[in-house]
Amino acid sequence: AQSVSQHNHHVILSEAASLELGCNYSYGGTVNLFWYVQYPGQHLQLLLKYFSGDPLVKGIKGFEAEFIKSKFSFNLRKPSVQWSDTAEYFCAVKKVGGNKLTFGTGTQLKVEL
Amino acid sequence: NAGVTQTPKFQVLKTGQSMTLQCAQDMNHEYMSWYRQDPGMGLRLIHYSVGAGITDQGEVPNGYNVSRSTTEDFPLRLLSAAPSQTSVYFCASSQNFDSVIEGAEQYFGPGTRLTVT
């Protein structure tokens, strides 16, 4: 069975700091990878996704993620965070050909002014 | 488009009570699913449906029933609530099963926070 690990449960940054949130998955086959974000009081929405091709994918609001197959990782990055990035971030994986989306436990990001 | 809507937003139940969490979407999506979100466990798939009249179990189906009589609605029923079902429940939809297979985005509702005492 596939699983997703997000090792940083809570992250606190100052505005303009750089962000990197870790995501590792365990599954031996080909996968689709996602990052979802949940802003306070709002529903989950897709930040970015990787299907195939260029392992560096760019999403909304200046976020990007890099798929490193050899490390089974899909870390989320942003060069300069803003207060409005305060949210919970979920990494998710789905095996190609399957419909089951497996989520990580989430990382709560707080950006301080 | 309202997207995916869920009612109620909050609910408190006593152990043994039953209730139905409502989910509706107005995007004509064939694929709908229910997740529960628990601290330290992420989101876990409860049940899903690939179209009206067709449902299947996800990762944690015990204690929950679903049905899909229309494309728009996908209610989740708790027949006899237990404290272990205290959670936040999310409904999600996507265009169809093939789109989910291909990794298309799933659209999530705002969630229902359920407490069972």
Side-chain angles (χ1 to χ4, degrees):
Chain A
Q2 63 222 39
S3 65
V4 180
S5 297
Q6 292 182 244
H7 304 294
N8 312 105
H9 298 297
H10 291 90
V11 173
I12 301 175
L13 295 173
S14 299
E15 268 206 326
S18 64
L19 169 72
E20 180 159 4
L21 301 182
C23 172
N24 289 89
Y25 67 93
S26 64
Y27 178 68
T30 311
V31 295
N32 301 135
L33 295 155
F34 307 81
W35 275 98
Y36 278 83
V37 61
Q38 187 175 22
Y39 297 103
Q42 297 187 28
H43 57 272
L44 278 158
Q45 53 188 290
L46 185 66
L47 260 186
L48 50 78
K49 58 187 177 182
Y50 171 79
F51 289 170
S52 62
D54 189 345
L56 183 63
V57 292
K58 294 190 183 298
I60 60 171
K61 303 186 181 184
F63 285 91
E64 64 179 32
E66 184 175 13
F67 171 48
I68 303 179
K69 189 175 180 180
S70 61
K71 295 185 178 180
F72 296 89
S73 70
F74 190 55
N75 292 355
L76 181 71
R77 299 195 294 246
K78 185 170 184 179
S80 175
V81 295
Q82 299 173 306
W83 177 80
S84 58
D85 293 325
T86 293
E88 190 159 16
Y89 293 81
F90 293 92
C91 182
V93 65
K94 184 189 75 62
K95 66 177 183 180
V96 170
N99 69 310
K100 181 187 166 191
L101 200 58
T102 299
F103 285 83
T105 54
T107 297
Q108 189 73 47
L109 171 66
K110 182 178 179 182
V111 180
E112 296 178 331
L113 295 170
Chain B
N1 273 0
V4 180
T5 58
Q6 292 182 239
T7 56
K9 289 186 178 175
F10 302 94
Q11 182 71 49
V12 179
L13 288 179
K14 292 190 165 127
T15 297
Q17 286 185 316
S18 63
M19 81 158 297
T20 299
L21 307 186
Q22 301 291 345
C23 174
Q25 50 87 15
D26 61 358
M27 297 175 282
N28 203 31
H29 283 174
E30 293 181 4
Y31 185 91
M32 296 184 74
S33 55
W34 276 102
Y35 291 86
R36 58 178 289 173
Q37 181 186 21
D38 301 296
M41 303 193 75
L43 280 77
R44 293 178 293 168
L45 182 66
I46 304 171
H47 285 287
Y48 66 94
S49 169
V50 300
I54 308 169
T55 64
D56 205 346
Q57 296 181 351
E59 199 178 349
V60 287
N62 292 342
Y64 307 95
N65 280 354
V66 291
S67 60
R68 184 96 179 270
S69 55
T70 67
T71 300
E72 295 78 18
D73 301 298
F74 190 42
L76 179 73
R77 295 185 189 85
L78 285 71
L79 297 178
S80 179
S84 61
Q85 294 177 304
T86 294
S87 188
V88 181
Y89 291 85
F90 289 99
C91 181
S93 75
S94 192
Q95 186 172 357
N96 53 47
F97 187 72
D98 285 344
S99 69
V100 175
I101 297 295
E102 292 164 8
E105 178 177 0
Q106 294 194 43
Y107 296 86
F108 285 83
T112 294
R113 188 173 293 275
L114 175 67
T115 302
V116 183
T117 61

